[in-house]
Amino acid sequence: MFKKVLIAEDFESFNISVQKAVEELKIETADNVHYCDDAWMRVKKSIREKSPYDLLITDLSFDIDHREQNLKNGRELIDAIKNDAPSIKIIVFSIESRPEVVENLFTVHQINGFVSKGREDIKELKRAIKTVYNNEKYISSNIKDSIKNKNTYDFTKFDKILVSLLSKGMLQKNIPDYLKENNIKPSSLSSVEKSLNNLKESLGVINNEQLIALCKDWGII
């Protein structure tokens, strides 16, 4: 199991959850900081003293207060630490729920685990820590399902056109006229309705507003 963990979290209530998970796993050393700059300095100091951290557990969002910070959020902290100490494993503990954001954290920022803050977060954190310790990646099940749905559904060019038009405020009943004017086929109202209904049913949303929001979150439009 990890021997030395650094926790970066500015809210005490969530900090307690992380502390409890770490204590139950009997991790020897667990240090806490409330600012990203402090976390970065702790990591650099531990390297200088040849007693580096094995794991960083960090939030993404940190409230701005009277203290000026160079590193203002979890992403900046992760990038700084990856640059200075690439061997440290990183678990993000956040309320973030957008699948494209979580995917980006893994692909761009090279994190090792993501845990959603919520009702079962202590259990989730413990599972995540064990999984990451075993050199595997961990994603909370609710986020994993969203990513799976996104990657499973094959958005056609026609799908993207329809949702894009709706997002710009065009009424569904007026879309066929636009399609005809721009020589886009199929252009009948029934085709538009069928395509949108298939989209909503497949993605588990009940109206056009939810469809638009979901596609924006996923970066489809």
Side-chain angles (χ1 to χ4, degrees):
M1 181 46 63
F2 293 113
K3 300 295 184 184
K4 191 173 182 180
V5 176
L6 180 62
I7 302 164
E9 170 62 65
D10 56 346
F11 282 113
E12 191 63 31
S13 58
F14 290 121
N15 207 319
I16 291 170
S17 293
V18 183
Q19 291 254 37
K20 187 171 178 58
V22 169
E23 287 172 4
E24 290 180 0
L25 290 173
K26 302 188 183 306
I27 292 173
E28 293 178 8
T29 302
D31 295 326
N32 294 272
V33 293
H34 300 295
Y35 296 91
C36 293
D37 283 359
D38 289 349
W40 189 36
M41 290 190 322
R42 286 282 190 106
V43 168
K44 291 195 291 185
K45 182 182 177 182
S46 72
I47 294 171
R48 287 196 306 270
E49 295 177 348
K50 298 187 178 182
S51 179
Y53 288 99
D54 305 305
L55 173 68
L56 168 70
I57 301 174
T58 181
D59 196 354
L60 290 179
S61 300
F62 289 76
D63 279 359
I64 297 173
D65 61 14
H66 62 281
R67 181 173 162 182
E68 185 66 27
Q69 296 291 301
N70 292 314
L71 302 175
K72 295 179 173 60
N73 57 59
R75 290 179 186 80
E76 293 181 6
L77 171 61
I78 291 166
D79 289 344
I81 288 179
K82 282 291 185 182
N83 185 59
D84 287 339
S87 63
I88 294 179
K89 301 289 180 65
I90 296 176
I91 294 174
V92 171
F93 181 49
S94 171
I95 61 170
E96 178 60 66
S97 62
R98 292 172 292 177
E100 77 281 0
V101 173
V102 177
E103 279 190 299
N104 180 266
L105 289 169
F106 280 95
T107 58
V108 176
H109 301 278
Q110 298 295 302
I111 69 169
N112 304 96
F114 183 93
V115 176
S116 297
K117 290 179 177 179
R119 191 171 298 168
E120 299 288 323
D121 54 19
I122 293 177
K123 292 179 181 178
E124 280 250 55
L125 268 171
K126 289 168 66 177
R127 284 198 295 268
I129 292 169
K130 291 176 182 177
T131 301
V132 170
Y133 178 74
N134 289 320
N135 294 315
E136 298 174 18
K137 297 193 182 299
Y138 184 92
I139 309 178
S140 290
S141 57
N142 62 317
I143 303 296
K144 188 184 294 184
D145 289 343
S146 295
I147 292 173
K148 181 180 178 181
N149 288 339
K150 174 191 172 184
N151 292 335
T152 299
Y153 191 85
D154 185 18
F155 285 87
T156 67
K157 183 178 180 180
F158 189 66
D159 291 334
K160 294 176 183 179
I161 290 172
L162 295 182
V163 179
S164 178
L165 292 174
L166 289 173
S167 72
K168 293 174 182 176
M170 184 175 292
L171 297 177
Q172 182 172 314
K173 66 179 182 180
N174 295 334
I175 290 178
D177 291 334
Y178 174 90
L179 298 177
K180 290 173 185 175
E181 290 171 6
N182 290 274
N183 199 29
I184 299 171
K185 297 180 179 179
S187 58
S188 66
L189 180 58
S190 61
S191 297
V192 170
E193 290 174 343
K194 182 178 179 181
S195 295
L196 288 174
N197 287 336
N198 285 340
L199 267 175
K200 286 181 281 192
E201 183 177 349
S202 298
L203 299 175
V205 297
I206 61 175
N207 55 46
N208 288 343
E209 288 74 20
Q210 290 182 358
L211 176 62
I212 293 166
L214 185 65
C215 288
K216 283 183 177 179
D217 282 348
W218 284 358
I220 303 300
I221 58 172

